[in-house]
């Protein structure tokens, strides 16, 4: 099931939108990744990956905390909204507030014409792989993580030389912690 879901991304994901997302993220002053429930796993993964690349990145499960961060956004910032349904109220509220502040909104959501899909500046569409009866949203999480990985690898390939020393330094510290 997971293999099939990942293969379906090739059909759902618009390559131009992916390129636009990479360019916007690459030039961002600040980035917030946000998702709730199963989508929060992809947001947390993105936080770790983009921090390693030297970006100013935020993620927090607390909606009220995030409400205090978004008002400081401007046109140089990016809000990445992650929601399979594209209808999650907290995600939509933060995405809309981000746009009001001038930030770009990138949606990682099903290709289902949801409110999030319609309102986002950039749409990274995941295939509709979940059934009505969901057992842990495993396949949808795999598609979200694959898109996060695609963004990360694309940006690393673009700016990697500029962050290799810091990347290696962080890795060296982690290796020292192993016993």
């Amino acid at each position: 099931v997971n293999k099939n879901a990942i293969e379906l991304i090739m059909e759902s994901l618009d390559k131009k939108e992916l390129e636009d997302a990479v360019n916007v993220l690459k030039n961002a002053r600040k980035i917030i990744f946000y998702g709730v429930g199963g989508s929060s796993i992809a947001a947390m993964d993105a936080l770790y990956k983009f921090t390693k690349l030297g970006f100013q990145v935020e993620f927090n499960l607390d909606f009220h905390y995030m409400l205090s961060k978004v008002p400081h956004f401007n046109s140089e910032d990016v809000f990445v909204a992650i929601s399979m349904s594209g209808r999650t109220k907290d995600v939509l509220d933060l995405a809309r507030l981000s746009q009001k502040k001038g930030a770009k909104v990138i949606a990682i959501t099903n290709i289902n014409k949801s409110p999030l899909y319609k309102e986002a500046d950039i749409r990274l569409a995941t295939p509709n792989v979940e059934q009505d009866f969901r057992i842990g949203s495993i396949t949808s999480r795999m598609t979200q993580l694959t898109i996060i990985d695609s963004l990360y690898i694309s940006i690393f390939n673009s700016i990697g030389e500029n962050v290799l020393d810091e990347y290696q330094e962080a890795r060296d510290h982690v290796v020292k912690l192993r016993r």
Side-chain angles (χ1 to χ4, degrees), residues 101-155:
K101 299 303 292 183
K104 289 280 189 201
V105 171
I106 298 172
I108 299 176
T109 189
N110 273 341
I111 187 165
N112 63 1
K113 311 301 186 229
S114 67
L116 181 58
Y117 184 90
K118 291 176 187 172
E119 296 173 26
D121 299 302
I122 299 171
R123 298 162 193 87
L124 302 178
T126 58
N128 195 354
V129 293
E130 289 294 335
Q131 305 301 318
D132 287 335
F133 180 69
R134 293 170 39 150
I135 304 174
S137 61
I138 296 167
T139 53
S140 58
R141 186 172 52 250
M142 292 305 300
T143 61
Q144 291 172 337
L145 289 168
T146 300
I147 289 176
I148 294 295
D149 287 346
S150 298
L151 292 168
Y152 172 73
I153 290 168
S154 296
I155 292 172

Side-chain angles (χ1 to χ4, degrees), residues 91-109:
V91 175
L92 285 168
D93 286 351
L94 289 172
R96 289 169 178 156
L97 180 57
S98 296
Q99 281 180 320
K100 284 182 185 171
K101 299 303 292 183
K104 289 280 189 201
V105 171
I106 298 172
I108 299 176
T109 189

